[in-house]
Amino acid sequence: MKFDLRQLERQAAAIERFMTKAPREVGQLAVREFVGNFKRQSFQDEAGAEHAWPSRKVRRYRRKSGKGSSRLRLTAAGRDDRGRALLVDSGKLRRSIRMEAVDKESVTVATDSEYAQAHNEGHRYDNRTLPQRQFMGESKRLNTEVISYLKSGVDAILNAK
């Protein structure tokens, strides 16, 4: 078997260049995945299980006033929430997900929203519970995308003539 040392050196240099760009690309994949969870209204954990977000517990209907009426009418809160996605009112939380720090070996994806952690992890306050609606964290879908990106990038370099 014959090796072309110059070609190996070129490939090694190309892989090194690719890997210095990889954290930024991986960060963009993560941001896209976490924002996508708002559209899916769910989160996929590390094991691949999809966890749908719990629905709102807003009292949406009340009895219509009148003698013996059993008809229900939408409350003002119910009318406001009709057709609106969970965790999306102004879109501020979803827009706040971004890459915070990128270096040669890692990327940090974060949000600066003051209520992000309470929604992502769930929160208990004043005898009330805000249910967990996780949108950021370890995800099998994200891990698969990252591995695919890295593998295809290195394969492209090694298979280039």
Side-chain angles (χ1 to χ4, degrees):
M1 182 179 254
K2 188 176 179 183
F3 289 101
D4 181 355
L5 189 56
R6 285 194 181 120
Q7 182 182 4
L8 287 174
E9 288 173 343
R10 283 192 301 272
Q11 287 175 329
I15 289 173
E16 193 171 323
R17 284 191 304 275
F18 172 75
M19 293 307 289
T20 59
K21 295 177 184 176
R24 182 167 300 283
E25 295 298 321
V26 168
Q28 290 174 348
L29 288 172
V31 168
R32 205 171 311 130
E33 171 66 19
F34 299 154
V35 169
N37 289 330
F38 284 83
K39 184 174 184 178
R40 288 185 289 275
Q41 299 283 285
S42 65
F43 178 79
Q44 186 183 70
D45 64 19
E46 306 175 73
E50 196 77 26
H51 300 278
W53 292 348
S55 62
R56 286 185 190 88
K57 298 287 192 259
V58 175
R59 185 173 167 209
R60 293 190 177 110
Y61 295 96
R62 62 183 158 94
R63 297 243 178 252
K64 184 177 179 182
S65 57
K67 271 189 178 174
S69 178
S70 61
R71 290 185 36 195
L72 298 175
R73 286 181 55 182
L74 228 62
T75 62
R79 281 191 302 276
D80 291 346
D81 287 341
R82 225 179 347 198
R84 185 169 62 87
L86 295 168
L87 298 188
V88 179
D89 188 12
S90 67
K92 179 182 173 189
L93 177 59
R94 182 178 53 206
R95 285 191 312 273
S96 72
I97 300 170
R98 72 199 178 317
M99 288 187 288
E100 190 171 74
V102 181
D103 61 31
K104 286 178 17 177
E105 297 176 356
S106 66
V107 61
T108 302
V109 176
T111 173
D112 60 357
S113 174
E114 63 274 4
Y115 46 86
Q117 184 176 9
H119 284 296
N120 201 51
E121 299 172 2
H123 185 69
R124 187 163 176 79
Y125 62 98
D126 297 332
N127 289 331
R128 296 180 68 188
T129 301
L130 183 65
Q132 180 183 22
R133 293 186 177 105
Q134 188 171 1
F135 54 91
M136 292 178 73
E138 293 288 325
S139 164
K140 184 176 183 178
R141 183 174 23 246
L142 177 58
N143 290 343
T144 301
E145 287 181 36
V146 169
I147 289 167
S148 176
Y149 164 74
L150 295 173
K151 186 176 181 329
S152 66
V154 171
D155 285 350
I157 292 167
L158 295 177
N159 295 328
K161 300 280 180 186

